[in-house]
Amino acid sequence: MAQLIDGKRISKEIKDELKEKTARLKERGISGCLAVIQVGEDPASSVYVRNKKRACEYIGIESLSYELPAETTQAELLQLIETLNSDKKVTGILVQLPVPDQIDENKIIKAISPSKDVDGFHPENVGALVSGLPGFVSCTPAGVIELLKRTGVSITGKNCVVIGRSNIVGKPMAILMLRENATVTIAHSKTKNLKEICKNADILIVAVGKPKMVDASYVKEGAVVIDVGIHRDADNNLCGDVDFDSVFETAQAVTPVPGGVGPMTIAMLMHNCVEALER
């Protein structure tokens, strides 16, 4: 039976550490502000934005909220980003994704100043990650690393399989695991013999975007399984990419959904916001 990796507890630990750090920075006269932009009223996005604002309040960073109508043009959004880039009070800028169809997501990401890109999505920050240079790291993959380390999972020398190759999770996740001296395989929808490849993993990170796709038949005895997915099942309950009940009997440790990777994403966003202040 697996150990439950408690993302809620670990994320609170991190936020408490950041709260102390923010207080010390304020004593030195250093403060800043996170600007959060949401275009349209996607219910899931609204929940994420609300959680981000609460986290800012908890650790002691001011947040500004821009709730724009769904029909906002790309030019209007770019103008707002340019204004925030120039505002010295604003130390972090975040555009909640996805954006409506009339807006090019890549252009929006590139428009945010790399020094304020606390999501870690700007090509300059991605390039820094690949090159091993300082920069903001994408929050979900960074959160997975913290989950592993703070649960006492040794990464060095382990076989790691990442299922998923998105720019936001899969690719940066693989690079971060390489940084931690794991031997990394990236698998995806076109991978042949996926089960056999996953069965070799000491650490299996699942970011495939399909509810409960990975069951015990993908997992070797004693593996650590990290579930990045979040969905609603037929009964409207939250679930991940991993069939939790099936995998729980085989794995050494596993993250639940909810309460696993999700809270860590916000904790690492706060980490990036504090790093922006320190810079």
Side-chain angles (χ1 to χ4, degrees):
M1 191 176 287
Q3 172 195 355
L4 202 64
I5 300 176
D6 188 347
K8 271 189 182 172
R9 177 186 61 77
I10 295 169
S11 72
K12 185 171 186 305
E13 264 177 32
I14 292 168
K15 286 188 287 189
D16 286 342
E17 290 162 14
L18 294 170
K19 191 176 184 176
E20 286 179 22
K21 202 178 262 191
T22 306
R24 288 198 299 272
L25 288 166
K26 275 189 180 164
E27 284 168 10
R28 290 164 50 200
I30 299 167
S31 63
C33 173
L34 173 65
V36 181
I37 305 168
Q38 181 182 354
V39 185
E41 295 178 353
D42 177 69
S45 290
S46 298
V47 171
Y48 290 133
V49 166
R50 196 158 57 243
N51 288 341
K52 286 165 187 175
K53 286 192 230 168
R54 279 184 192 148
C56 281
E57 193 178 339
Y58 184 80
I59 70 162
I61 288 181
E62 187 187 344
S63 66
L64 295 172
S65 184
Y66 296 87
E67 286 153 12
L68 308 180
E71 60 273 14
T72 298
T73 65
Q74 181 167 292
E76 287 168 333
L77 180 52
L78 288 170
Q79 181 57 58
L80 173 58
I81 290 168
E82 191 48 50
T83 303
L84 295 170
N85 280 340
S86 305
D87 187 340
K88 288 182 179 173
K89 180 187 169 188
V90 174
T91 46
I93 302 169
L94 183 156
V95 177
Q96 183 64 41
L97 302 177
V99 286
D101 291 345
Q102 74 272 18
I103 297 170
D104 182 335
E105 193 173 284
N106 287 322
K107 281 191 177 167
I108 298 309
I109 288 167
K110 284 180 186 172
I112 297 169
S113 166
S115 65
K116 297 188 179 189
D117 166 42
V118 287
D119 259 336
F121 296 162
H122 191 284
E124 200 171 297
N125 282 319
V126 175
L129 172 64
V130 174
S131 308
L133 298 170
F136 292 118
V137 177
S138 189
C139 302
T140 299
V144 171
I145 296 292
E146 284 296 315
L147 274 182
L148 293 168
K149 286 184 173 179
R150 291 177 186 243
T151 310
V153 175
S154 170
I155 303 174
T156 296
K158 296 290 177 67
N159 284 330
C160 170
V161 174
V162 179
I163 314 180
R165 53 178 167 177
S166 71
N167 291 335
I168 290 172
V169 180
K171 290 175 189 171
M173 189 74 255
I175 293 161
L176 285 177
M177 292 301 283
L178 278 173
R179 265 198 193 180
E180 297 295 332
N181 302 312
T183 300
V184 182
T185 302
I186 304 175
H188 45 78
S189 58
K190 301 287 191 289
T191 299
K192 292 178 180 175
N193 306 320
L194 180 61
K195 278 189 185 182
E196 288 81 353
I197 289 167
C198 292
K199 277 276 198 184
N200 287 320
D202 303 306
I203 301 170
L204 179 61
I205 300 169
V206 189
V208 72
K210 292 183 180 174
K212 298 187 181 181
M213 186 191 106
V214 171
D215 60 20
S217 66
Y218 287 78
V219 179
K220 84 169 178 184
E221 192 81 35
V224 175
V225 181
I226 305 290
D227 187 352
V228 179
I230 186 155
H231 314 275
R232 293 269 176 192
D233 65 15
D235 301 319
N236 205 35
N237 296 315
L238 286 172
C239 68
D241 290 349
V242 173
D243 184 349
F244 181 85
D245 293 338
S246 166
V247 167
F248 193 69
E249 298 304 317
T250 306
Q252 173 199 322
V254 62
T255 56
V257 177
V261 174
M264 295 301 295
T265 300
I266 296 203
M268 298 318 290
L269 172 66
M270 294 302 105
H271 172 273
N272 283 353
C273 288
V274 173
E275 192 178 304
L277 291 185
E278 290 177 315
R279 289 184 187 181

